Amino acid sequence: MLTVEQLEEFEVNGFLKGSVVLNEEEVEKLREELNLVMEGKTVKQPVLNHNKNKSDKGLYDDMEMSVDEKVVQIVNIWTASDLFFKHASHTTICEEIAQLCKSDTLRIWHDQVQYKPPVSGGPTGWHQDHPLWPILQPADLVSAWVALDDAVIENGCMWMVPGSHKWGDHQKYLASTPDFKPYHKKPELLPEGAVVEAVPFEIKKGQVGYHHCLTWHGSPHNRSQLKRRAIAVHYMPGHTRYEPSRNHVMHQFVTVEPGEILRGDQFPVVYAK
Ligand SMILES: O=C(O)CCC(=O)C(=O)O
């Protein structure tokens, strides 16, 4: 359970480092399972298994991106792997997400692995999650990002902009300097006093980091000799509704009507108090 101080820290910053939730053996098992999924060796398949860098080319027009660089993105590894489903249902993570979301029910919206291989690992541009999820309302989801390798500056850990979860949707104005500093293309649209300054979010192997779905974040290249593997699970509080405005890869699995709670087999409940 998170303390009052931790909940306050999340409220102020929009992100928080949690505890180490997986031991060495648990991390190793997930890594082995990840290898099987990446190589397409499981019976069931995830929703996506691709080089995100290639698919995103053109999305971040200000970023230096090359197709020789790679970010392996797997979406909904939980559908391909029981072990990853068990991970998404992790008791400590779910209890803490429920505290952060102030909800007594949690569903999986979707998960995603991002693997930046040594040397050729590409960047993940500055973004806010909720504007990239244009079928969900309201914007109060929280994600749990668990490192399967120590995520440090050298291998492309995430960076966060403290307080940015309170500034609203600025996705289309987010941009990156060549050295991966975030900036706003129209800073006059930011609330008074907003300071756009990113801090590294280094997470130890097996540790969990939480972030709000409006927090500005991104992760630069991995030019080190180290791998950078991680599993993020994006959780919906019990009240998240299906409100489509644009398309999304998970749209195909929605079976409810606009305005209804987004529930169904592909959005399983993993926590209910
Ligand atoms: O793993 C990364 O570097 C980025 C992940 C991310 O953007 C997220 O979990 O919302």
Side-chain angles (χ1 to χ4, degrees), residues 112 114 116 124 127 129 145 156 158 211 217 219 228 232 234:
Q112 67 166 313
Q114 286 203 15
K116 296 178 193 268
T124 300
H127 67 281
D129 291 335
W145 192 98
M158 283 202 288
H211 63 274
H217 61 288
S219 52
R228 206 231 66 176
H234 310 300

Side-chain angles (χ1 to χ4, degrees), residues 84-99:
F84 273 97
F85 180 68
K86 195 169 153 238
H87 171 75
S89 317
H90 192 286
T91 309
T92 305
I93 295 176
C94 288
E95 277 173 6
E96 295 184 348
I97 290 272
Q99 285 181 282

